[in-house]
Amino acid sequence: MNTIEMKDIHFSYTEKEEILKGINITIDERSTAIIGQNGAGKTTFVKLLKGLLRPNSGKILLNGTDIADMTVAALAKDIGLIFQNPNDQIFKNTVLSEVMFGPLQMGMSKAQAEESARKALEMVGLMNMEKINPYDLGLSDRKLVSIAAIVAMDTKVIIFDEPTIAQDYMGKERIKKIMKDLRAQGKIVISILHDMDFVAETFERAIVFAKGNVLLDGDVKTVFSQKDVLEEAYLEQPSTAKLCHELGYGEIFLTPEEFIAMKQKEA
Amino acid sequence: MAEIKVENLKYRYPYTEKLALDGITCEIKQGEFIGVIGKNGSGKSTFCQALTGLVPTFYRGAYGGKVFIDEIEVKNVEVDDLCQKVGIVFQNPFNQVTGSKLTVYEEIAFGLENFGIERSQMRKRIDESLALLDIAKYKDRAPFDLSGGQMQRMAIASIIAMEPEIIILDEPTSQLDPQGSEEVFQAVQKLSQKGITVIMVEHKIEKIAAYSDRVMLLDDGKLVDFDIPQKVFSRTDLEEHGVVPPTYTRIGKALNLRVSETDTYPVTLQEAEQLLAHRQE
């Protein structure tokens, strides 16, 4: 089982302001959503995991090994990050060469890299698009290219930074499925998100960041039950949970499907 | 104050075969809050560009039909003649920021300087828009040092400061946290209550349902529906057009909850809550 342990992580960009103020978390196989206000420290947290930033103090252990001694290049084989905006990530002129780039950098042979890339493209549903320039694709498909490019590297950990931005309903459904498939393969799936309904529908665990601290950490149902604490972190409950709260229910439901099933059973 | 009239608008981008806009006819009254929905590629952003005149004066391509802002026909004037009347907030703030200004304050001043607004008036407008978007504390920061969410709010502030009569927002809250996006919807609603016409493209369907006076549903460049949110979201064929109705409408459909005033399913939290609470009694 893969794990990431963060032990008392402190980080600041400037001397004046501490961004992370002693984070203690163990990330396990549960799919995990990182939520919190803009500026709460979510992206900083992810950059620390990737080794792009190094903590001022504290340790990060990947399957028991301290990543402080690992280079960014070495870490890239274990931890993949999908950028928020695919345009910041994509730079090759065909879909296939874009998705092969990571595996080649990791030292795979051309044949291995191509096989890995084709498998990743199949997983995200972009077969037969190998020769297209990624910038000739719509934003939804271009996002899938950026996801496939990381999936092809077969890392133990895959981090998504706000994957649902600019995605329509179909796009979100596809991303949801990819995340669940990766989870089923035993990978650690972590995502920063602002879309609470998507978190409720897709993830097992939610960690709430607020002002550099972990405010809440638990299974999504427990976290989303705590309306007042969420509001303190400038967040809100998912739509269905809001309805349960307004109706004065003791228990919340996370999705309209769960709510409807409960109501139909009641009737 | 401005009204919009669109008559059989058709448009095709250069070097493409398909119409991006295909026969759109509609009228939008002054001060209305219009939500524009539809799947990616349905024509939402192109429709926005057609209201600003960037389609066809900047983007060229094949153009048919007419767009009027009050009595002005959009394709007959230069974009700079329209931009005092129509402001647009782009989907990606990176595409909007000038890149030549060193602070947020100067960035917001840029449009006003170009309009030749008098200095004290300019300061007043900048302070108001900084306050409205809650970014006064970042006014001395470099625009590119802002987070995605902060930059998005700066982009909105820079348009609001120009005091357009029509404001068009293309997914303005995509990078904002829940509270930040609620604040933007509230700020924009205030503008519409002041008589400014608002056209907003958004995928956040629950918010569109709660804030829009009318919802425009586009698919494949065509105007499928343009009505109050309750009517549009109660359509049985919505998902065929690539849009999923708000959570409260989905629950309403499954449990057969009807709002009697509109003879539709509920679309907002309040409507669903009232109907369910009533049923419990």
Side-chain angles (χ1 to χ4, degrees):
Chain A
M1 192 181 79
N2 292 313
T3 58
I4 303 171
E5 288 167 79
M6 297 196 112
K7 292 184 172 169
D8 198 25
I9 294 295
H10 289 261
F11 180 81
S12 56
Y13 290 101
T14 60
E15 275 180 24
K16 270 193 227 154
E17 194 187 6
E18 200 170 43
I19 303 293
L20 296 179
K21 301 168 183 167
I23 303 288
N24 286 291
I25 306 176
T26 300
I27 307 245
D28 52 30
E29 78 278 18
R30 287 175 292 169
S31 57
T32 300
I34 310 279
I35 56 181
Q37 191 188 10
N38 289 120
K42 305 185 298 295
T43 300
T44 303
F45 171 77
V46 165
K47 286 182 178 167
L48 286 163
L49 286 182
K50 278 285 291 171
L52 297 170
L53 297 172
R54 304 289 171 159
N56 298 7
S57 65
K59 272 190 194 323
I60 302 172
L61 307 175
L62 174 62
N63 294 336
T65 308
D66 193 340
I67 70 164
D69 309 325
M70 296 170 77
T71 62
V72 174
L75 261 177
K77 294 180 183 177
D78 291 324
I79 301 182
L81 169 66
I82 296 149
F83 285 22
Q84 189 170 330
N85 185 346
N87 299 355
D88 294 338
Q89 185 178 326
I90 291 170
F91 67 105
K92 291 281 191 179
N93 59 8
T94 69
V95 167
L96 186 64
S97 59
E98 179 67 37
V99 180
M100 280 174 67
F101 178 78
L104 286 173
Q105 291 302 305
M106 290 168 73
M108 283 191 207
S109 72
K110 216 174 156 202
Q112 283 171 321
E114 185 166 340
E115 195 197 327
S116 194
R118 285 188 191 278
K119 254 169 63 186
L121 286 169
E122 192 181 334
M123 180 183 191
V124 303
L126 289 183
M127 299 84 77
N128 309 321
M129 296 212 183
E130 293 93 338
K131 290 187 183 130
I132 298 175
N133 185 318
Y135 285 97
D136 288 337
L137 296 171
L139 190 59
S140 227
D141 285 339
R142 211 180 306 149
K143 181 79 193 179
L144 296 178
V145 174
S146 69
I147 294 174
I150 303 302
V151 169
M153 294 167 73
D154 195 24
T155 52
K156 297 186 184 93
V157 181
I158 297 196
I159 305 169
F160 295 77
D161 191 357
E162 298 196 30
T164 60
I165 282 183
Q167 295 292 318
D168 58 8
Y169 168 64
M170 285 304 298
K172 283 188 198 175
E173 288 300 307
R174 286 196 287 187
I175 291 170
K176 190 189 291 177
K177 183 173 180 303
I178 294 167
M179 287 176 157
K180 290 190 169 172
D181 290 349
L182 290 169
R183 160 78 174 91
Q185 290 174 12
K187 295 186 187 302
I188 292 186
V189 176
I190 304 171
S191 181
I192 295 178
L193 280 156
H194 284 315
D195 183 337
M196 299 301 127
D197 285 347
F198 188 85
V199 173
E201 289 159 13
T202 316
F203 288 83
E204 292 157 83
R205 177 188 189 181
I207 299 176
V208 178
F209 274 69
K211 301 189 175 92
N213 290 302
V214 171
L215 194 62
L216 285 174
D217 177 6
D219 65 84
V220 276
K221 194 162 176 169
T222 312
V223 167
F224 283 137
S225 298
Q226 307 189 47
K227 181 172 184 280
D228 296 340
V229 187
L230 288 168
E231 281 172 4
E232 195 187 314
Y234 301 95
L235 297 175
E236 58 180 15
Q237 291 181 301
S239 304
T240 308
K242 278 186 196 164
L243 183 60
C244 299
H245 180 87
E246 288 296 313
L247 290 166
Y249 294 174
E251 188 189 2
I252 63 154
F253 294 92
L254 291 171
T255 65
E257 289 73 25
E258 283 176 27
F259 185 91
I260 292 162
M262 176 275 295
K263 278 290 183 189
Q264 282 168 342
K265 220 163 95 186
E266 223 178 58
Chain B
M1 282 301 183
E3 288 188 353
I4 301 168
K5 207 166 166 189
V6 179
E7 292 173 1
N8 197 23
L9 175 63
K10 293 186 181 186
Y11 173 70
R12 200 178 62 221
Y13 284 98
Y15 314 110
T16 62
E17 285 170 12
K18 228 170 90 336
L19 286 173
L21 298 173
D22 189 358
I24 294 184
T25 299
C26 64
E27 282 182 38
I28 296 168
K29 291 191 285 291
Q30 184 221 320
E32 271 196 290
F33 190 135
I34 305 293
V36 184
I37 60 167
K39 62 182 177 226
N40 287 346
S42 58
K44 305 184 298 296
S45 295
T46 310
F47 179 70
C48 291
Q49 304 288 13
L51 299 181
T52 64
L54 287 169
V55 162
T57 48
F58 177 77
Y59 287 107
R60 305 291 168 185
Y63 185 94
K66 290 183 165 134
V67 175
F68 292 97
I69 307 290
D70 290 335
E71 302 309 313
I72 306 167
E73 195 186 342
V74 163
K75 75 163 187 286
N76 295 338
V77 294
E78 296 294 322
V79 172
D80 27 326
D81 293 328
L82 260 186
C83 69
Q84 297 216 32
K85 247 178 147 52
V86 185
I88 182 163
V89 178
F90 290 165
Q91 194 166 359
N92 186 344
F94 277 97
N95 296 342
Q96 179 159 345
V97 173
T98 59
S100 64
K101 298 293 165 187
L102 296 177
T103 68
V104 169
Y105 195 91
E106 288 173 32
E107 178 66 34
I108 297 175
F110 179 77
L112 303 177
E113 287 166 347
N114 278 288
F115 286 170
I117 306 286
E118 191 262 322
R119 196 176 173 82
S120 62
Q121 172 69 9
M122 202 155 86
R123 289 199 178 277
K124 183 173 152 277
R125 287 205 206 169
I126 297 170
D127 288 338
E128 279 171 6
S129 18
L130 285 169
L132 191 67
L133 274 303
D134 193 25
I135 48 170
K137 54 184 173 289
Y138 310 121
K139 70 181 168 60
D140 298 320
R141 292 265 283 273
F144 286 103
D145 283 349
L146 300 177
S147 75
Q150 292 158 350
M151 199 184 280
Q152 207 156 30
R153 284 194 271 178
M154 177 187 70
I156 299 170
S158 68
I159 299 302
I160 287 177
M162 295 196 274
E163 298 186 346
E165 293 169 39
I166 297 169
I167 183 161
I168 300 167
L169 305 111
D170 195 352
E171 291 191 53
T173 71
S174 61
Q175 304 190 36
L176 298 181
D177 57 54
Q179 174 142 341
S181 84
E182 181 66 28
E183 282 168 9
V184 166
F185 270 90
Q186 284 174 6
V188 170
Q189 189 180 43
K190 270 189 229 158
L191 297 176
S192 107
Q193 285 161 353
K194 274 167 54 183
I196 295 173
T197 308
V198 173
I199 320 275
M200 189 195 274
V201 175
E202 257 295 346
H203 287 305
K204 287 182 182 147
I205 214 82
E206 279 79 15
K207 294 241 188 287
I208 284 291
Y211 283 93
S212 305
D213 295 316
R214 286 194 291 160
V215 173
M216 179 178 275
L217 170 62
L218 297 178
D219 190 10
D220 219 7
K222 295 186 182 70
L223 182 63
V224 178
D225 206 346
F226 190 23
D227 209 329
I228 57 169
Q230 284 83 355
K231 295 271 189 209
V232 174
F233 291 127
S234 293
R235 289 177 71 100
T236 50
D237 63 348
L238 207 54
E239 286 174 52
E240 287 160 38
H241 295 291
V243 174
V244 68
T247 301
Y248 309 115
T249 313
R250 280 146 72 193
I251 289 172
K253 278 185 186 175
L255 302 176
N256 204 20
L257 307 169
R258 299 289 287 188
V259 181
S260 54
E261 294 86 357
T262 47
D263 190 29
T264 60
Y265 298 114
V267 300
T268 62
L269 173 61
Q270 287 71 25
E271 284 179 341
E273 190 263 325
Q274 276 168 17
L275 290 166
L276 283 163
H278 185 69
R279 186 177 274 194
Q280 275 170 2
E281 279 164 15

